[in-house]
Amino acid sequence: MTKILVTGGAGYIGSHTLLKLLMADYDVVTIDNLSNSSYEVINRIKFLAKRNFDFIEGDICDKSVLKKIFIKYKIDTVIHFAGLKSSSESNEIPLKYYKNNVVGSLNLFNEMAKNGVNKIVFSSSATVYGEPEIRKCKENSVLSPISVYGKSKLLIENILQDIKNAHPEWRIFNLRYFNPIGAHPSGVIGEDPRNIPNILFPFLTQVAIGKREQLLVFGDTYDTSDGTGKRDYIHVEDLAFGHIAALTNIDKAQDTNINVNLGTGRSYSVIEIIRAFEQCSGKKIPFEIVGKRSGDISELYADISLAKKILGWEAKFNICDMCKDAWRWQQMNPEGFKNVVKYISE
Ligand code: NAD
Ligand code: WQD
């Protein structure tokens, strides 16, 4: 059976993808240092999948752990989620981000090369586009990331491209996610930020449940329909399916086209998101318009034609599905994964 190594499998997107892989009968092993997640996630994935799998608590910056994994398991393909992801934090502690994301990835690619493993699906980000003149981004749009985080993603994409140039037998997909939101429809796994959320959706659901008083809307003078920032929000379940599509197609991956957008192809403003959430959850969201947040852009959304063409994939869930599923997760888990009682796997 195909053995897939998933790095960062206890994280938000990794956990949803891991579950899909298990349900599709893939043989998986995952490594996560739990720096932004908890072991409870692993228990809950096993509970939902009704299957066991190997979890290694370890750091991809630690070469000896990676070495052991590649000796112990006959890895066929790697799905590489492990990384730090806060744009604002990355500008404050750039060395931590470059070390964790870039050095960690280099260790992983090195170990893959040493063991003849040459298939990888990498979690890149729409943030590599920066603030493009044309808001609908094509994979060949200008790349100009603003944050250190975004630069670390672009660096890793470039490293993988260089590996592929030198070793055409490598099969690589750099998946550029737009803005993932939502949760598994069971409400058992979802996004669980450790601190005060600095991105829109987890903050909004925490306002809805009464943990925070109101949502601050960062600016209403952008050049958009209602003046608030617009993004391409995509259900995390759709993203997870995108990874299955990537695995299914990775052997056919051509020399070019290794970078692929995963978005829905349309954008929503912050006000539109608030209204959609209110309508689909029945909860009122108190909000206040405040000044713009530094580093924010007006609008970004995906050109999704390449994903359709080479992965045969497109997003299925609409904004109401995303709101409902995020709300169910928040209601069932007001303290995130801190509740360890309910979901214990054998
Ligand atoms: P997450 O923080 O929930 O998951 C990342 C996981 O990687 C965590 O469980 C963390 O503990 C683990 N990790 C971090 N550094 C590690 C290391 N050195 N060794 C081992 N494990 C490590 O984030 P997520 O939202 O699931 O994102 C997954 C990937 O997708 C990340 O690479 C992120 O940059 C990328 N991405 C995320 C978004 C987003 O908005 N969520 C958008 C685009 C791209
Ligand atoms: C969306 C919109 C805000 C919070 C971030 C990361 C980026 C990427 C995706 C990984 C904007 C507005 C937000 C709030 C608000 N992650 N907003 N009040 O900015 O697209 O990107 O997530 O690759 O690296 O930086 O997403 O959710 O922060 O913001 O008004 O409390 O919501 O101004 O218009 P963003 P976001």
Side-chain angles (χ1 to χ4, degrees):
M1 208 190 291
T2 316
K3 193 83 174 177
I4 314 285
L5 171 63
V6 178
T7 73
Y12 173 45
I13 307 168
S15 57
H16 288 77
T17 305
L18 207 47
L19 179 58
K20 293 274 168 291
L21 291 167
L22 291 162
M23 301 302 260
D25 244 11
Y26 282 97
D27 194 8
V28 297
V29 54
T30 189
I31 174 173
D32 198 302
N33 64 2
L34 304 183
S35 59
N36 197 36
S37 50
S38 69
Y39 186 73
E40 175 64 7
V41 183
I42 300 298
N43 272 336
R44 294 193 187 191
I45 298 170
K46 289 178 182 173
F47 166 82
L48 288 171
K50 298 185 177 61
R51 265 188 69 188
N52 213 341
F53 61 91
D54 284 357
F55 167 71
I56 290 127
E57 184 174 346
D59 197 309
I60 57 164
C61 293
D62 181 347
K63 291 181 187 169
S64 66
V65 178
L66 288 175
K67 192 173 174 189
K68 280 185 200 147
I69 292 176
F70 280 86
I71 289 172
K72 180 164 178 193
Y73 302 96
K74 177 111 198 60
I75 306 295
D76 177 82
T77 306
V78 175
I79 308 185
H80 179 28
F81 294 104
L84 298 173
K85 63 167 178 179
S86 163
S87 300
S88 52
E89 188 188 56
S90 73
N91 292 334
E92 287 155 22
I93 33 177
L95 284 173
K96 183 174 174 187
Y97 270 70
Y98 282 124
K99 179 176 180 237
N100 194 76
N101 292 3
V102 181
V103 176
S105 297
L106 275 176
N107 289 346
L108 177 69
F109 305 158
N110 251 315
E111 212 51 51
M112 288 174 65
K114 275 201 261 169
N115 289 278
V117 178
N118 56 23
K119 289 190 274 186
I120 182 163
V121 179
F122 167 60
S123 298
S124 188
S125 168
T127 200
V128 296
Y129 294 114
E131 179 153 30
E133 257 174 54
I134 300 166
R135 297 164 180 202
K136 180 177 181 172
C137 298
K138 267 180 143 14
E139 286 76 356
N140 59 6
S141 296
V142 174
L143 303 177
S144 182
I146 298 163
S147 66
V148 167
Y149 164 72
K151 289 175 193 168
S152 79
K153 288 289 172 190
L154 184 54
L155 248 169
I156 301 165
E157 279 195 0
N158 288 339
I159 291 167
L160 284 169
Q161 182 68 66
D162 287 340
I163 294 175
K164 178 138 182 91
N165 292 344
H167 306 284
E169 68 279 11
W170 274 60
R171 296 277 171 262
I172 300 164
F173 279 130
N174 294 320
L175 301 181
R176 294 178 180 159
Y177 316 148
F178 279 67
N179 289 58
I181 60 171
H184 190 263
S186 65
V188 172
I189 55 171
E191 186 169 19
D192 182 19
R194 288 234 154 143
N195 304 310
I196 300 174
N198 59 5
I199 55 171
L200 179 64
F201 227 79
F203 199 100
L204 186 151
T205 58
Q206 291 192 5
V207 171
I209 200 127
K211 269 180 117 169
R212 317 222 169 261
E213 219 171 288
Q214 61 172 358
L215 176 72
L216 300 180
V217 176
F218 299 139
D220 66 348
T221 56
Y222 286 106
D223 176 21
T224 60
S225 40
D226 59 22
T228 64
K230 294 184 87 173
R231 299 287 185 278
D232 185 338
Y233 297 94
I234 175 162
H235 200 304
V236 66
E237 285 282 284
D238 273 325
L239 271 192
F241 284 121
H243 289 78
I244 304 291
L247 279 186
T248 314
N249 286 284
I250 200 159
D251 288 315
K252 300 177 229 158
Q254 297 299 304
D255 282 5
T256 50
N257 294 347
I258 71 167
N259 306 312
V260 185
N261 288 341
L262 294 188
T264 63
R266 70 155 291 180
S267 62
Y268 286 90
S269 74
V270 181
I271 298 292
E272 285 168 337
I273 288 291
I274 294 172
R275 297 302 174 219
F277 186 86
E278 288 181 332
Q279 209 171 19
C280 303
S281 70
K283 288 297 285 188
K284 194 98 193 106
I285 301 295
F287 70 89
E288 187 188 336
I289 311 273
V290 296
K292 287 180 179 174
R293 181 174 66 176
S294 134
D296 264 358
I297 58 168
S298 54
E299 183 177 16
L300 197 72
Y301 62 102
D303 183 311
I304 53 170
S305 44
L306 191 64
K308 273 191 204 166
K309 186 174 151 203
I310 67 174
L311 303 182
W313 168 93
E314 64 183 307
K316 296 272 183 285
F317 295 102
N318 63 31
I319 199 69
C320 201
D321 300 322
M322 303 184 216
C323 291
K324 281 184 173 164
D325 289 338
W327 180 225
R328 186 180 305 104
W329 153 255
Q330 179 71 81
Q331 282 181 295
M332 284 172 63
N333 304 273
E335 299 306 321
F337 288 109
K338 284 203 187 86
N339 171 15
V340 292
V341 185
K342 245 165 144 185
Y343 306 105
I344 297 172
S345 57
E346 63 295 297

